[in-house]
Amino acid sequence: MSHTVGDAREAIAGSAGVLVCTGAGMSAESGVPTFRGTGGLWRNFRPEELATRAAFDRDPLLVWEWYNWRRRVVLECDPHSGHFTIARAQAAGRARLVTQNVDGLHERALEEVGGSGGADRTLALHGSLFRLRCSRCDYSRRDEESIDTTSPGSLPECPECRHLLRPGVVWYGETLDQEVLGKAFAWATNASACLVVGTSAVVEPAASIPRLVLQNGGAVVEVNPERTPLSELATVVVHGTAAELVPEILGEEP
Ligand code: BJW
Ligand code: ZN
């Protein structure tokens, strides 16, 4: 069943705050390819073939080439009106954000709206494209520079233990940061309204977050041009895109 923007606004309006959950579709209109859409392939590899520890151990150069390309693509993209609407709601204390995205566009939108109080209202479940971390020890750092992928020997090394640095993201089969995940589950348990934008809702444990909201009596509004496994459970489903619908649903003006 599909609903109207009015239904969505109403489901969220009665709530003191809203939990916003976003996936790759949130950034599609900024120009960032999604994972499972048509633009998700790089050199004919599926993300599941590259976003794993086994792929990195087998061929770190190939995996770094993919991440280098993605970092370059993202650095040329900008947040859109949907990111800014969410950022303003965070800065005003009206929204908390849990994102699966590693592109940093939410964080950039929040900075641009001057939302210093909003940073503790953002959880990035799957890490960041712009963080490097050691494949062996706890070392990590922020980094936006291009990675030298000329040869395996040119890849970045850990200054502490000399093992390879890897992208600071969560790959398939890896556990999420337990503190971050625990906080996300706590926010979901206490949320009376949740807006889910641009996720295929298949990757766990992120996909469980809106289900937890529903189990605790909260309303879930889904925004997506396509149906997902969440669609049959959600309170309100609005078909359309993030840049078009998020400002209409979450914006201050009706
Ligand atoms: C628009 C739009 C527009 C388009 N506007 N919308 C329980 C059951 C079954 C399996 C598992 C399970 N628990 C764990 C697993 C295994 C696995 C998993 O979930 N697999 C499923 C595929 C079945 N999960 C894990 O491995 C997780 N780890 C874990 O649970 O550890 C414990 C454990 C380990 C081992 C076994 C069991 C437990 C970790 C998951 C980490 C995911 N990592 C990635 C890569 C991150 C790094 C990187 O970016 O390189 O995260 S995978 C990729 O998928 C990325 C994304 O964040 C994530 C979700 O994708 P998302 O955001 O939903 O994007 P898409 O492309 O799928 O969808 C886009 C949507 O947007 C579509 O619906 C479009 O229609 C829509 N859209 N344009 C609005 N303009
Ligand atoms: Zn190290």
Side-chain angles (χ1 to χ4, degrees):
M1 192 203 299
S2 91
H3 299 83
T4 64
V5 167
D7 297 329
R9 281 188 73 90
E10 202 175 308
I12 289 171
S15 171
V18 57
L19 177 64
V20 181
C21 298
T22 64
M26 180 76 217
S27 300
E29 288 150 293
S30 290
V32 183
T34 60
F35 289 90
R36 290 162 191 83
T38 42
L41 293 184
W42 173 80
R43 291 197 204 159
N44 278 336
F45 290 101
R46 284 178 294 116
E48 305 88 282
E49 295 175 76
L50 297 173
T52 70
R53 176 66 192 231
F56 184 77
D57 288 344
R58 194 169 48 242
D59 194 345
L61 195 59
L62 176 72
V63 172
W64 260 125
E65 280 179 317
W66 181 49
Y67 279 95
N68 224 4
W69 171 74
R70 290 178 55 203
R71 281 155 61 104
R72 234 181 4 253
V73 167
V74 166
L75 284 175
E76 282 169 13
C77 296
D78 292 310
H80 60 62
S81 54
H83 293 103
F84 286 116
T85 302
I86 295 168
R88 279 191 291 272
Q90 286 180 274
R94 288 194 297 122
R96 285 169 160 169
L97 171 68
V98 176
T99 186
Q100 295 175 76
N101 297 346
V102 294
D103 56 33
L105 292 183
H106 284 298
E107 292 82 349
R108 277 168 53 192
L110 191 59
E111 263 171 44
E112 283 188 40
V113 303
S116 54
D120 58 353
R121 294 183 152 258
T122 305
L123 297 174
L125 289 180
H126 295 161
S128 168
L129 279 180
F130 301 105
R131 186 155 276 285
L132 307 187
R133 66 180 168 92
C134 181
S135 55
R136 179 161 167 243
C137 76
D138 286 339
Y139 175 84
S140 85
R141 70 163 184 261
R142 223 197 119 66
D143 182 294
E144 286 189 3
E145 299 301 310
S146 178
I147 302 297
D148 182 351
T149 56
T150 321
S151 71
S154 68
L155 294 176
E157 280 182 358
C158 174
E160 310 273 340
C161 77
R162 298 281 149 219
H163 277 72
L164 281 183
L165 292 178
R166 53 163 280 182
V169 298
V170 182
W171 283 326
Y172 284 112
E174 292 187 323
T175 47
L176 280 68
D177 181 314
Q178 292 306 295
E179 205 180 313
V180 170
L181 184 62
K183 220 168 169 184
F185 281 159
W187 288 1
T189 307
N190 293 314
S192 49
C194 176
L195 175 64
V196 183
V197 186
T199 172
S200 54
V202 293
V203 172
E204 296 290 354
S208 297
I209 293 173
R211 293 192 183 101
L212 204 52
V213 175
L214 289 168
Q215 278 162 21
N216 286 281
V220 170
V221 174
E222 181 184 54
V223 168
N224 199 309
E226 310 281 340
R227 283 189 69 77
T228 75
L230 180 65
S231 307
E232 60 200 57
L233 307 172
T235 322
V236 174
V237 178
V238 197
H239 291 300
T241 73
E244 169 203 354
L245 290 178
V246 171
E248 290 186 26
I249 293 172
L250 199 62
E252 297 275 9
E253 297 300 320

